[in-house]
Amino acid sequence: MSKNAMNYFENIIIPLIQTNYPNIISDMDIMILGSVGLGIDDEISDIEASIYLDDVIWKNQGKQLQLLLNECLAKTNKWKREGSIICVHPVSWLLDGNSNKFLTNNDNLPWENVSFEALFTLQKNTIILNSKGTLKHLRKKTEVTKYPEQLWRKKLITNLKELSIEEYFELNKNVQRNHIPEANMLFGIMIERIYHIAFLVSHEYYPWRTHLDWAFRNLSISKTELSTQIDKLLSTSSWNERVEIIKSIIDFYKNYIKNNNLIPEIDVYSDDLEKELIWAERLSAWNTPDWRNFIKEKEKDAVDCGYSPEQFWVWSLWG
């Protein structure tokens, strides 16, 4: 974080709160958000911060504190005015509204209800005041090494399926049909997913899209050919070349997943990868390693009734 931000809070914001609300400063945590909180701010950065209070204190005194901070920021802001804000929030809003469960429980934590963006923010942005200790406690509870292994695999399977089966297939058709508006819309979605998968295979949380490329460049996987492929993808204007590069990126991910045994429940080199990924997702392969047995049973049912095994999906619905 920049020295300007540190000085601003230590010399202006925190003393202002201490003077006007001395009774709540000891129950307060402050986090600097955005590019300033990540230490990558530039001349067009705004200042964003969140002040976290116990829910009861927030309800009783948060409004007055918010108004005081609004007035102060309007007079003293050293960053871009548009977008700058210092928000007063209750602790319960942290982690997409799931913080209380993480603060009070050790088992059955609602990991799936918390976005990676929220987890990244908590882990990577700057805590400038730790009076209550809530932010550091939650940071420890949500360390990346504590994220459930089954959920890493679930996210990887579902994202790989979307990229390699659904989106790539659709983009290819749009390009062949010269449906350029549709191709452009899908291309942006695929770029974001390509980045997200890089974090998933690295077992790292990813940030909101504003800082996605910056965070990607800090991953060890960015030192591989993947980075070169992404740079090519972003620099070319040829749709046919984009399709080919995305195919190469998908192949890279398949090799990486296989070589690192990241999702042993599926075969990324299956002759029918579409079937493999679609049914791995439908049958929750990350929880049921023997998920293919269900398909075998339904294939047998189809054959017993005089149909080809490819019709197994009908028996999966009307078995």
Side-chain angles (χ1 to χ4, degrees), residues 153-170 190 193 197 200 250 253-254 257 263 266 268 273-283 286:
R153 299 205 299 272
K154 177 181 180 179
K155 285 181 176 291
L156 184 50
I157 288 172
T158 55
N159 277 272
L160 184 64
K161 187 212 72 169
E162 287 298 317
L163 177 66
S164 61
I165 304 302
E166 307 290 347
E167 294 163 354
Y168 179 77
F169 178 72
E170 186 180 348
M190 296 178 76
R193 195 177 305 281
I197 294 176
L200 292 173
I250 292 170
Y253 278 138
K254 287 164 60 178
I257 289 166
I263 38 180
I266 71 167
V268 293
L273 185 59
E274 179 177 1
K275 175 183 174 182
E276 183 82 1
L277 290 174
I278 289 174
W279 285 92
E281 181 184 42
R282 289 183 184 177
L283 299 175
W286 50 90

Side-chain angles (χ1 to χ4, degrees), residues 35-143:
S35 59
V36 177
L38 293 171
I40 55 171
D41 49 309
D42 54 27
E43 66 278 0
I44 62 171
S45 293
D46 49 39
I47 181 73
E48 298 176 75
S50 288
I51 294 175
Y52 292 99
L53 297 170
D54 177 84
D55 284 44
V56 174
I57 296 175
W58 175 81
K59 185 174 182 180
N60 292 333
Q61 300 185 67
K63 176 183 176 182
Q64 292 76 14
L65 176 57
Q66 184 68 73
L67 291 170
L68 177 68
L69 291 170
N70 290 351
E71 183 179 357
C72 177
L73 189 61
K75 295 177 180 178
T76 63
N77 185 16
K78 301 176 182 179
W79 293 266
K80 288 289 182 181
R81 180 175 297 274
E82 186 178 1
S84 290
I85 184 116
I86 302 175
C87 289
V88 182
H89 288 160
V91 166
S92 62
W93 286 8
L94 280 160
L95 297 177
D96 297 330
N98 294 280
S99 59
N100 286 340
K101 293 180 181 178
F102 280 87
L103 288 168
T104 57
N105 300 330
N106 289 318
D107 300 316
N108 300 317
L109 295 174
W111 288 100
E112 284 196 88
N113 297 331
V114 184
S115 67
F116 269 21
E117 289 89 348
L119 290 165
F120 181 94
T121 296
L122 183 60
Q123 291 294 324
K124 300 296 185 181
N125 280 91
T126 301
I127 298 172
I128 200 168
L129 185 67
N130 188 45
S131 297
K132 188 73 172 179
T134 301
L135 290 175
K136 287 195 174 180
H137 181 62
L138 285 174
R139 179 175 284 183
K140 185 175 181 180
K141 289 289 290 284
T142 58
E143 289 173 350

Side-chain angles (χ1 to χ4, degrees), residues 5 16 28 62 76 90 146 158 216 268 281 305 308:
L16 177 71
M28 180 183 298
T76 63
K146 295 179 180 177
T158 55
F216 166 74
V268 293
E281 181 184 42
C305 292
S308 70

